[in-house]
Amino acid sequence: MHSRKEQDWLYRLISPFTWAIFSISVFLVSFFFPPFTYEKYTSDPYYGYLNLNSALFTGLSLMAMLAGWWTFQKIAPPVRLDREIQSQSYAPVTMVDLAIGLILLMANIAFTVVVYRQGGFQQLMSINQSSEQAAAYFESIVEAADSNGLGSLMQLSAIVIPWFFWLRVQAVQSGSGTDKLLASGLFAVILISYAFPMFLLGRRNVILLPLFGVFLVWFLGQVKYGKANPVKFVTFLVTLGICAISLFMVIELVRIGFLSGEGGLNDMLTRFIGYLVAPYNLQGAMLDGALTFPGEGKGYYWMSWFWRAPVLQHIIVAEDVIGTIPPYGVEARCDALEANGFERHFTALPIFANSYVDFGWFGIFPFLFYGFAGAFTWKRFREGTVDGIVLYTMFAYSVLEWRANILFPAPYMGVAIVLLIVLGIGRWFLTASRHRQQLLHRPQAR
């Protein structure tokens, strides 16, 4: 087993600060990216180069995150990592876990059927479509699924898969043969049934989210059970990175028609620049006043999880309450870009720009709560609780993807909270049952 000091050091390898290094590096590359190169490959003017307004807003937002993080650290009790708690923390798969797994499996199968009926199998990985067209196609599929109550339910698999993997990690370490088989089967079935239709639709991010969560949970188990070392971490991380890049390349090569000889290296460079650099170009344009969205100042992006909650979104319609909302979704973003003189592509907007749309320069203040929430989820994750596993994997991925919209809280956070409550009830019953068993077997005083 690792000492407490060694554990703390190893945990830092998967802390939000590690993933923030990557995201800040992407911003810095965008900040110094040559305008002539960008304009050559994208046909849009480049506003990100040495944009001091963009750098100031991003820097102040980062400082606000750190302030929120520091505040939580000051008021929260220390992380419970002592050996006794770890030895008693093994939790086998409960009936609640199985019930949720069954519901999600049916939702994933039903979603696959919707994809088939919408022609998804015939348009394998959105062949010859741009990233924006493929994303719009995916949104139309989810919208069709939402009419049957499947859209958000299916997406919950992405955030539950890391929890099911954590059950497997614990079963392999401390469970019986039956426990290992049950936990491994539950994890594999949900992962495959979720990833299959996502791969057909060519959706990289929604595949990488659960895989990234599985990586975090794997290393959590390595640390808790005294098996972790930096070499394992780097090896697994590099492997995940290669898989992510390969997934990006394969899907993009198919989309640009490279395999049929229609696309070339320039098309690939355009996509790569658009994926990493273009979001901060839009942010720079916003901060300079060259790009405006309708519905600014409404706080819609930060609260989209509320306005887009299943069932509730049909009862409380955002437009009826707050009026015009900023463009949400690929087609709406493309229309907004075209209205401002930009090409209809590269619609991703950094988390900082989303906040600027919501509140202008006051958009730095929501990051106080973002940092506070991040510190909370990080603490609970290290303790191995169900809310920690589910929420931290979502938060960490949002940090890794600061270049692309607000991913925490996710649009389906309302359903996720309900899911967490149900899973938490299952853990509570398990703990109560263990407590009763301990009382029954406790020697009676004479």
Side-chain angles (χ1 to χ4, degrees), residues 17 33 43 50 99 108 113 118 157 261 303 319 336 339 349 376 385 443:
F17 294 97
F33 198 81
S43 302
L50 298 182
N108 293 342
V113 172
Q118 295 291 322
S157 291
M303 292 298 295
E319 291 90 333
L349 204 62
F376 168 76
T385 62

Side-chain angles (χ1 to χ4, degrees), residues 102-121:
L102 180 60
I103 292 171
L104 293 179
L105 174 61
M106 291 189 296
N108 293 342
I109 293 174
F111 183 78
T112 304
V113 172
V114 171
V115 172
Y116 173 76
R117 290 177 176 173
Q118 295 291 322
F121 287 17

Side-chain angles (χ1 to χ4, degrees), residues 144-160:
D146 268 334
S147 65
N148 298 317
L150 293 176
S152 297
L153 185 61
M154 176 276 307
Q155 294 177 73
L156 288 181
S157 291
I159 65 173
V160 175

Side-chain angles (χ1 to χ4, degrees), residues 281-304:
N281 178 48
L282 299 184
Q283 176 171 308
M286 282 186 168
L287 270 295
D288 284 356
L291 174 62
T292 59
F293 278 179
E296 293 180 344
K298 304 291 182 65
Y300 179 81
Y301 286 146
W302 276 112
M303 292 298 295
S304 62

Side-chain angles (χ1 to χ4, degrees), residues 99-388:
I100 288 178
L102 180 60
I103 292 171
L104 293 179
L105 174 61
M106 291 189 296
N108 293 342
I109 293 174
F111 183 78
T112 304
V113 172
V114 171
V115 172
Y116 173 76
R117 290 177 176 173
Q118 295 291 322
F121 287 17
Q122 291 76 15
Q123 299 184 39
L124 180 60
M125 292 190 298
S126 304
I127 291 176
N128 292 332
Q129 291 186 341
S130 69
S131 297
E132 293 69 42
Q133 290 171 327
Y137 179 66
F138 172 70
E139 288 176 0
S140 69
I141 294 288
V142 172
E143 186 175 335
D146 268 334
S147 65
N148 298 317
L150 293 176
S152 297
L153 185 61
M154 176 276 307
Q155 294 177 73
L156 288 181
S157 291
I159 65 173
V160 175
I161 285 169
W163 169 248
F164 287 164
F165 185 72
W166 179 236
L167 293 176
R168 180 188 179 278
V169 168
Q170 294 181 96
V172 169
Q173 179 66 28
S174 308
S176 64
T178 302
D179 289 341
K180 295 174 186 177
L181 182 62
L182 189 60
S184 298
L186 179 64
F187 163 70
V189 166
I190 301 305
L191 175 62
I192 294 171
S193 65
Y194 169 79
F196 177 68
M198 295 299 102
F199 183 76
L200 288 177
L201 293 170
R203 302 306 300 152
R204 295 180 297 258
N205 283 349
V206 294
I207 295 175
L208 291 176
L209 170 60
L211 294 182
F212 181 69
V214 166
F215 164 71
L216 295 177
V217 169
W218 168 80
F219 196 72
L220 172 69
Q222 293 286 299
V223 176
K224 278 188 175 293
Y225 298 122
K227 302 176 181 179
N229 64 67
V231 175
K232 280 186 177 182
F233 173 80
V234 172
T235 301
F236 206 132
L237 184 60
V238 169
T239 302
L240 182 63
I242 292 174
C243 290
I245 293 173
S246 299
L247 182 65
F248 176 90
M249 295 288 288
V250 169
I251 290 176
E252 288 304 317
L253 285 172
V254 172
R255 283 176 176 168
I256 66 176
F258 184 83
L259 300 181
S260 60
E262 297 178 12
L265 180 60
N266 284 350
D267 296 301
M268 178 59 72
L269 287 174
T270 297
R271 296 292 179 86
F272 190 74
I273 291 172
Y275 190 78
L276 288 180
V277 181
Y280 286 105
N281 178 48
L282 299 184
Q283 176 171 308
M286 282 186 168
L287 270 295
D288 284 356
L291 174 62
T292 59
F293 278 179
E296 293 180 344
K298 304 291 182 65
Y300 179 81
Y301 286 146
W302 276 112
M303 292 298 295
S304 62
W305 65 272
F306 173 80
W307 296 115
R308 299 178 66 83
V311 181
L312 185 64
Q313 65 177 325
H314 301 297
I315 300 173
I316 305 177
V317 180
E319 291 90 333
D320 294 342
V321 178
I322 62 177
T324 303
I325 62 173
Y328 191 95
V330 175
E331 286 297 334
R333 286 271 179 90
C334 284
D335 292 342
L337 291 176
E338 188 176 46
N340 284 268
F342 290 80
E343 295 291 329
R344 293 178 60 88
H345 57 191
F346 308 141
T347 59
L349 204 62
I351 185 175
F352 313 106
N354 275 265
S355 198
Y356 182 80
V357 171
D358 276 355
F359 304 111
W361 280 91
F362 290 104
I364 63 173
F365 293 109
F367 290 102
L368 287 167
F369 304 99
Y370 182 84
F372 190 92
F376 168 76
T377 63
W378 173 232
K379 174 181 181 294
R380 298 289 287 173
F381 176 77
R382 286 174 291 165
E383 293 175 345
T385 62
V386 60
D387 59 311

